[in-house]
Amino acid sequence: MGKGISIRTFAERVDGQLSEEVTVTSGVPQGSVLGPLLFLAYVNDIWRNTESNIRLFAHDCIIYRKITDSSDIGKLQTDLNRLGEWAVEKEMKINPDESKAVSFTKARVKERIRYYFGEHLILEASGFKYLEIITRNDLNWTDHVKYALRKARKVLHFITSILKKGNNNTKRLAYMTLVRPILEYGAVCWDPYREGQVSALNQVQKRVAEFANINKSDWETMAQRRLIVRICALFKVCTGRQAWKAIGNRLLKPCYLRRGDHNRKIRTRKQRTDVGKFSFVNRIVKSWNQLPASLLTFFFYI
């Protein structure tokens, strides 16, 4: 393993001419089996000495905290400084131009807050893409829906061009493998409620059904599939899964139960804004509370 990491060289070929070999002084072999594992082991202590929350997935990292007063701003900046010190210690270069500062607030007048990474100002933005999901500071998911549709249509165009003479089963399999995952990825977060967006997502599946000569009634609509995914996600919340505990801790039991209600019923909350009304929990609570008690009993105790 040591030789595979330390004794490596590379060369460049331009117009058929190969340059002299240069020693590789850092990094892991690209395309190797152990490469991703070694990288994760190397950066897994990035959270060390920080008070703010850090989420790390491969090379994507976010750092955040709730800001209630000026002291929280200072603490977040301190953690950014510590992150810079960690990068120097690890001999890693973090490009501040690829970083964004996004504030989520209900305040009408937003105070501009400046954060720095080293000597570089982190530019403030109205949204960001993390793990292929576009999140805006007003929690409006229009940009992500458009992004998902554009990406899915591009892949679908490729499929329809390549599989014109393919059999219907192959066309159906290609759609389920390459297109539908794009339209459903992370849908628990961004599931649209506006009719135009719902219709646009369903239109992609309708186009595939016509292309593959499939009866549309044989498939659930995209909205139905997203509903099932949201119910499954709320099940994870109610069973105390680690990644969902923050949501589960905020759920409240109803003040009373009617005859026929299951004991996992969740209290609904009144919301003034569309962001609150159509958020993940508020939107799915009604469907969850209407589930048969026998069904929930089966899944909670298997």
Side-chain angles (χ1 to χ4, degrees):
M1 184 184 293
K3 291 182 179 180
I5 297 175
S6 58
I7 307 176
R8 291 181 293 128
T9 60
F10 77 95
E12 293 286 340
R13 184 183 297 275
V14 179
D15 294 332
Q17 299 296 320
L18 193 65
S19 68
E20 295 182 0
E21 291 188 351
V22 178
T23 302
V24 179
T25 59
S26 63
V28 293
Q30 187 174 5
S32 65
V33 176
L34 286 177
L37 179 62
L38 292 173
F39 176 79
L40 291 176
Y42 192 69
V43 302
N44 199 44
D45 64 340
I46 192 172
W47 53 269
R48 188 182 58 192
N49 299 326
T50 59
E51 297 180 9
S52 302
N53 300 289
I54 288 184
R55 294 291 181 266
L56 179 67
F57 186 87
H59 63 284
D60 289 327
C61 177
I62 58 174
I63 180 170
Y64 63 95
R65 73 179 297 128
K66 184 178 180 179
I67 305 296
T68 56
D69 52 40
S70 57
S71 65
D72 288 317
I73 299 174
K75 290 177 181 178
L76 182 55
Q77 181 59 60
T78 299
D79 287 334
L80 287 170
N81 296 339
R82 288 171 177 167
L83 187 59
E85 294 170 0
W86 173 89
V88 172
E89 179 186 337
K90 292 287 188 176
E91 299 183 358
M92 296 184 67
K93 293 182 179 180
I94 299 178
N95 186 0
D97 295 332
E98 295 294 326
S99 302
K100 295 180 181 179
V102 181
S103 298
F104 298 87
T105 177
K106 294 181 180 179
R108 295 183 179 180
V109 180
K110 300 178 181 179
E111 181 182 355
R112 189 171 183 180
I113 303 174
R114 295 177 178 270
Y115 293 104
Y116 292 84
F117 189 80
E119 298 179 352
H120 298 273
L121 173 67
I122 300 177
L123 298 179
E124 190 173 5
S126 59
F128 62 98
K129 184 194 289 186
Y130 180 64
L131 303 183
E132 287 300 305
I133 295 181
I134 300 174
T135 306
R136 290 180 51 86
N137 57 1
D138 58 0
L139 297 182
N140 186 312
W141 300 101
T142 300
D143 289 350
H144 181 77
V145 173
K146 290 180 179 178
Y147 169 74
L149 281 169
R150 185 168 60 251
K151 191 175 179 181
R153 286 166 178 164
K154 184 177 180 180
V155 176
L156 181 58
H157 176 73
F158 172 78
I159 291 175
T160 54
S161 301
I162 297 298
L163 298 179
K164 282 183 178 179
K165 297 182 180 180
N167 60 61
N168 292 339
N169 190 45
T170 302
K171 295 175 182 177
R172 177 176 180 170
L173 183 61
Y175 164 69
M176 290 183 171
T177 306
L178 302 175
V179 180
R180 195 156 73 180
I182 297 174
L183 298 175
E184 295 182 340
Y185 173 72
V188 170
C189 301
W190 57 266
D191 186 10
Y193 60 90
R194 290 189 171 91
E195 288 296 329
Q197 296 174 350
V198 173
S199 176
L201 291 168
N202 284 334
Q203 194 65 31
V204 176
Q205 182 163 280
K206 180 180 178 182
R207 181 181 170 188
V208 174
E210 294 173 352
F211 174 65
N213 295 320
I214 297 172
N215 190 341
K216 291 184 291 184
S217 61
D218 293 340
W219 279 343
E220 307 104 327
T221 65
M222 298 301 296
Q224 289 172 334
R225 289 181 58 84
R226 291 193 298 272
L227 173 62
I228 295 172
V229 170
R230 292 203 311 274
I231 291 176
C232 291
L234 191 55
F235 175 79
K236 295 177 183 178
V237 172
C238 294
T239 51
R241 301 289 179 88
Q242 183 64 36
W244 301 85
K245 278 189 175 181
I247 297 177
N249 293 336
R250 296 172 61 89
L251 299 181
L252 300 175
K253 293 184 178 181
C255 299
Y256 65 93
L257 293 175
R258 297 171 182 169
R259 182 180 298 177
D261 288 343
H262 55 77
N263 59 1
R264 297 283 179 172
K265 190 174 180 181
I266 300 172
R267 187 193 306 179
T268 57
R269 295 185 178 184
K270 293 183 179 180
Q271 300 288 343
R272 297 179 182 178
T273 63
D274 285 350
V275 171
K277 291 177 183 177
F278 298 101
S279 62
F280 162 62
V281 173
N282 271 53
R283 193 174 176 192
I284 197 60
V285 160
K286 184 177 180 180
S287 299
W288 173 267
N289 289 342
Q290 292 175 347
L291 291 175
S294 58
L295 179 65
L296 286 176
T297 301
F298 174 79
F299 280 107
F300 272 96
Y301 295 103
I302 58 174

